[in-house]
Amino acid sequence: MLASNTTIAEPCGGERARRGKALVVDDQPINQRLLKRMLGIKGFTVIAASSGEEGLRLFVRERPDIILMDVVMPGMGGIETARRIKAISAEDFVPIIFLTALDDATTMLECIQAGGDDFLTKPIDLALLEARIVAAERVRDLQRDIAASGAPLAAMLEREHQEHLLAERVFSRAIYNRNVAIDALSVMQRSSATFSGDLVLSQHLPDGGVRILVADITGHGLGATIGALPVAEAFHAMTIKGVDDWIVLEEINRKLHGVFPADRFMSAFLVTLSATGQRLRWWNGGMPSGWLRTRYGRVELASHALPLGVVAQLSATDAPREIRVETGDGLLLCTDGLCSALDRAGNAFGETQIDVALARWEHGQSLFPALADAFDAQCDDGGPPHDDAALLELACDPALLGSEQLLAARAVEVQRVPDGRWAWSVELCDRQLARLRSVRSMLGPLGLLEGLEPYSEILETLVSELYDNAWTRDTARTREPCARAHCMTASNAAADGDQVADCNNPARLTIEYAPLPQGGRFIVRLDTDGAMRADPTTQEPPAGPRAEVGTILPDLCESLEYSADGRIVEARYVW
C-alpha cells in the first residue's frame, strides 16, 4: 500500500508532459488506483494488470516504457513475470521497479537476479518513487540512444556478415563441385567457420585411378579460400590430364608461394591410387602421419617434406614415394585439427580415439564410422571445434574406385571414333626441344582429332609424359642450342630435308592412330637420336630427377617399350 502521509501534487500550469506508457502489475485494486492516478498526473499513459499472467499479456501487446511490479501475487509472482518480460524484451531495455512489503535481503537479491532494475518496500513514499522513476527513465533513454546510434553500424555489420557467408558458400561450391564420388572413399569435414581451411579434393586420372589431396591451409573462413581456389583449380585440371604427382605439387607450390604472405602455407597429403589398386604413391608435407593397414601390419606414412607455399622451389629429395598395396588394404588420413581436438577433460582426440583405434585396426576393417561418430559426439558435448578438422579413409579396392563408370562414360563416345587411320610426326632441334607445343594445337588445325576429342587429353598426357621424362634425362642439354629449328609432317619432310640436316641432335615425335572394332589405339613414339638419350643399358628409365617421382605411363598404357640402346621409347594406349 502507499504511505498515508503522502500527497499527490498536480503538475504546474496544468501541463502534463507526456512520458510514455507505464504498466502497473498489482493484485490490490487500491494500489492500482493510487499508482494510476500518480503516474497519470506525472504524464504517463497507464495500463494495469491484477496478475502476473495478465501483466505478461499486456506487456507483449502494449510494449510499455516502464513497469511497476508487485512481488507477491496469486498465480505467477512478480519475480517470474519479470524474468519472462526481460527474456521477451531482449535488446529493448524496459526498466522494472519492484514494489513489495517484503524487505529481506533474499527477496531483494531474487528481484535483481530476475531482471529488476530497482526496489522499493511498502508502504511506498510517492516522492521517493518519483525519484526512482526519473532515475530509471534516464538509464532507459541512455540505453535507447546508444541502441539508436549503433543501429546503422549493426545493420552494416549484419550485411557484411551475410555477404561473407554468401561468398564462403559460393567459394565452397566452386572448390568442391568438381570432386568425384568414389565408393572407396569416406570423408568427414568439420569447420570452425562457414568455410573450412581443411581441403579434401578428389579426381579421376585418365586411366581410371584416383588422386586425393588432403590439405590444411593456415587460417579459417574466407581468408583460407585465397589459397583454396588456385589449389583446387590446379589439382583438378592437372589430374584430369594425368599430369605426374610431382608436377602437380610443384605447380600448387608455385601458386601458393606467389599468393600467400610469409606467415601462410598449406600442409598437404597427396595420394594417387592406380586403377589396378596395386600402386599407391604418396607425398606428405607437414601433415600428421597417414596410416596404411596391410595384411602384414600397419605402415606409417610420416611427413617428409615442407608444407607447400613455404619455399619457392620444392626439393627433389622430397619427391613422392610409392608402396605396393592390394585389395583389402586401407589408408587413414586426418588433419591436425582432428588429432588435437580436446574433450571436456582436456584429452586430445588423437590420443583418446585415433591411437586406440589404430592399435585395434584389423586388415579389411573400416575405422571411419566409429571415429567420425566419436568426433561428432565430442563436438556435441564440448561445443564446435576450435580448429577445422578432416578425416579420410580410402579402401584400396579397384572395384570401388569408380573406374567402371569412367570407362562406361568414355564408351558413349565410341561411335564418334573416325574410321581412317593416320600417322603424324614432327622433328625438333635443340632450341625447340625445350618448347614443345601442345598436341592439340598441332593436330587440331589438321583435322586429325575430329571425333577423337574425348581422348585428346589422354594423348596430351602420353606425349608430355614421354617428352618430360626424356628431357629431364638429357645429359647434353647444356650444349649451346643451334639457332634454327625445324618441324615437318610426312607430306613436307622431303622438301625440307636440307634444313633438317643443318640442325644438331634432332628428336622425332611420331603419333599414329588406328581404329579398332570396339574403340581405337594411339601409338606414341619418341626417337631422341641422342638429343635426350635414355640409358641404353636398361629397359627401365634410368635414375634421375623424374625417375625418383615415377610416371603414370605404366598404369595408363597397354604397353611401354624401350629400344635396346634406350634411344626410342614407344607407348601404346587402347580404348
Side-chain angles (χ1 to χ4, degrees):
M1 91 179 26
L2 302 179
S4 58
N5 61 348
T6 302
T7 60
I8 302 174
E10 295 285 345
C12 296
E15 296 182 358
R16 299 182 178 183
R18 309 313 302 169
R19 297 169 67 178
K21 188 179 295 184
L23 171 63
V24 175
V25 184
D26 197 310
D27 63 326
Q28 298 296 322
I30 187 172
N31 289 340
Q32 282 190 25
R33 287 196 299 270
L34 291 173
L35 288 172
K36 288 173 68 175
R37 183 183 175 196
M38 186 273 288
L39 293 170
I41 291 174
K42 297 301 180 181
F44 287 97
T45 299
V46 186
I47 54 177
S50 300
S51 65
E53 292 85 354
E54 184 184 3
L56 193 60
R57 288 193 297 271
L58 286 176
F59 174 81
V60 173
R61 188 180 71 193
E62 302 291 341
R63 287 290 176 171
D65 300 287
I66 193 169
I67 301 172
L68 275 64
M69 180 81 68
D70 189 14
V71 174
V72 180
M73 293 181 290
M76 184 187 298
I79 292 176
E80 178 61 24
T81 304
R83 184 178 292 110
R84 296 192 184 189
I85 286 174
K86 286 295 184 178
I88 295 172
S89 59
E91 300 297 327
D92 183 21
F93 177 69
V94 180
I96 298 177
I97 300 176
F98 278 105
L99 310 175
T100 181
L102 304 174
D103 60 356
D104 59 285
T106 301
T107 301
M108 294 176 62
L109 180 60
E110 289 178 351
C111 290
I112 299 303
Q113 290 176 338
D117 300 287
D118 211 334
F119 187 98
L120 281 178
T121 58
K122 297 178 180 180
I124 301 299
D125 185 322
L126 291 182
L128 183 58
L129 177 59
E130 169 65 12
R132 298 291 177 89
I133 291 174
V134 170
E137 287 180 309
R138 289 175 180 172
V139 175
R140 179 201 63 201
D141 293 343
L142 178 61
Q143 290 277 2
R144 291 181 175 179
D145 289 343
I146 293 174
S149 63
L153 176 60
M156 182 187 70
L157 292 175
E158 178 61 23
R159 285 195 302 272
E160 289 189 357
H161 177 65
Q162 293 301 324
E163 291 174 358
H164 187 97
L165 294 178
L166 176 61
E168 289 188 352
R169 292 189 184 101
V170 171
F171 283 133
S172 181
R173 291 180 181 178
I175 290 168
Y176 292 115
N177 272 2
R178 297 176 67 183
N179 278 1
V180 295
I182 305 169
D183 292 339
L185 194 61
S186 300
V187 176
M188 181 199 77
Q189 287 183 271
R190 300 292 180 264
S191 175
S192 60
T194 304
F195 181 84
S196 174
D198 287 0
L199 294 180
V200 178
L201 305 176
S202 60
Q203 187 55 258
H204 281 299
L205 290 154
D207 68 341
V210 64
R211 178 175 289 156
I212 298 164
L213 178 70
V214 179
D216 184 358
I217 301 176
T218 51
H220 311 286
L222 193 58
T225 63
I226 296 174
L229 280 171
V231 167
E233 180 61 30
F235 173 85
H236 287 294
M238 300 179 78
T239 300
I240 290 172
K241 293 180 180 179
V243 177
D244 183 80
D245 294 350
W246 186 239
I247 304 302
V248 174
L249 290 167
E250 287 182 323
E251 176 63 13
I252 293 175
N253 182 75
R254 184 188 66 81
K255 288 179 177 291
L256 293 183
H257 191 264
V259 170
F260 277 169
D263 61 338
R264 293 292 185 100
F265 54 86
M266 185 181 84
S267 301
F269 205 120
L270 187 74
V271 177
T272 298
L273 181 63
S274 66
T276 62
Q278 297 179 347
R279 297 173 61 201
L280 183 76
R281 293 188 296 276
W282 63 279
W283 184 89
N284 187 348
M287 290 282 284
S289 292
W291 291 94
L292 181 68
R293 183 58 167 97
T294 72
R295 66 172 61 254
Y296 307 106
R298 284 187 290 125
V299 180
E300 183 178 6
L301 310 180
S303 174
H304 61 92
L306 287 174
L308 299 173
V310 175
V311 294
Q313 184 68 40
L314 298 179
S315 172
T317 60
D318 298 333
R321 301 176 180 183
E322 184 173 310
I323 188 170
R324 303 290 295 184
V325 292
E326 59 184 47
T327 300
D329 292 352
L331 176 68
L332 189 73
L333 306 178
C334 66
T335 59
D336 183 64
L338 189 86
C339 296
S340 59
L342 301 178
D343 59 19
R344 286 185 176 274
N347 300 311
F349 187 81
E351 298 174 354
T352 61
Q353 298 290 339
I354 299 179
D355 289 351
V356 173
L358 288 173
R360 301 173 179 173
W361 197 7
E362 298 292 336
H363 185 251
Q365 175 190 358
S366 174
L367 295 183
F368 180 85
L371 287 177
D373 291 345
F375 187 76
D376 286 339
Q378 177 173 304
C379 292
D380 291 340
D381 182 51
H386 298 291
D387 192 10
D388 300 327
L391 175 69
L392 177 144
E393 188 176 55
L394 174 66
C396 301
D397 187 345
L400 301 176
L401 292 181
S403 304
E404 294 180 359
Q405 293 89 332
L406 184 67
L407 295 175
R410 292 177 181 165
V412 174
E413 305 291 340
V414 167
Q415 67 272 17
R416 299 179 55 201
V417 173
D419 295 332
R421 69 171 60 228
W422 51 260
W424 174 91
S425 67
V426 61
E427 195 165 284
L428 304 171
C429 296
D430 287 341
R431 177 166 294 175
Q432 291 297 105
L433 292 177
R435 297 196 298 269
L436 180 66
R437 296 170 60 194
S438 71
V439 173
R440 279 171 292 186
S441 68
M442 293 186 288
L443 299 185
L446 301 176
L448 297 178
L449 293 179
E450 185 175 350
L452 294 171
E453 290 85 357
Y455 309 99
S456 61
E457 292 284 0
I458 296 172
L459 182 59
E460 197 82 58
T461 299
L462 291 175
V463 173
S464 63
E465 283 289 306
L466 289 176
Y467 186 81
D468 289 348
N469 277 276
W471 174 256
T472 55
R473 291 193 297 269
D474 175 20
T475 58
R477 61 179 176 176
T478 57
R479 296 189 303 270
E480 182 69 23
C482 69
R484 304 193 317 121
H486 175 73
C487 295
M488 67 177 182
T489 64
S491 60
N492 65 13
D496 292 338
D498 293 338
Q499 293 178 337
V500 178
D502 293 336
C503 295
N504 297 321
N505 302 310
R508 177 181 290 272
L509 172 67
T510 301
I511 301 175
E512 298 178 8
Y513 162 73
L516 299 177
Q518 299 299 325
R521 178 185 64 216
F522 283 132
I523 299 177
V524 181
R525 184 181 302 106
L526 182 63
D527 185 348
T528 62
D529 196 25
M532 301 182 295
R533 179 165 299 184
D535 187 348
T537 64
T538 177
Q539 294 295 313
E540 295 294 328
R546 296 284 293 181
E548 293 178 359
V549 302
T551 174
I552 68 169
L553 289 176
D555 291 330
L556 185 60
C557 299
E558 180 188 53
S559 65
L560 183 64
E561 299 179 357
Y562 289 84
S563 63
D565 60 357
R567 182 172 62 87
I568 301 174
V569 58
E570 180 180 282
R572 290 171 175 256
Y573 175 79
V574 177
W575 69 94

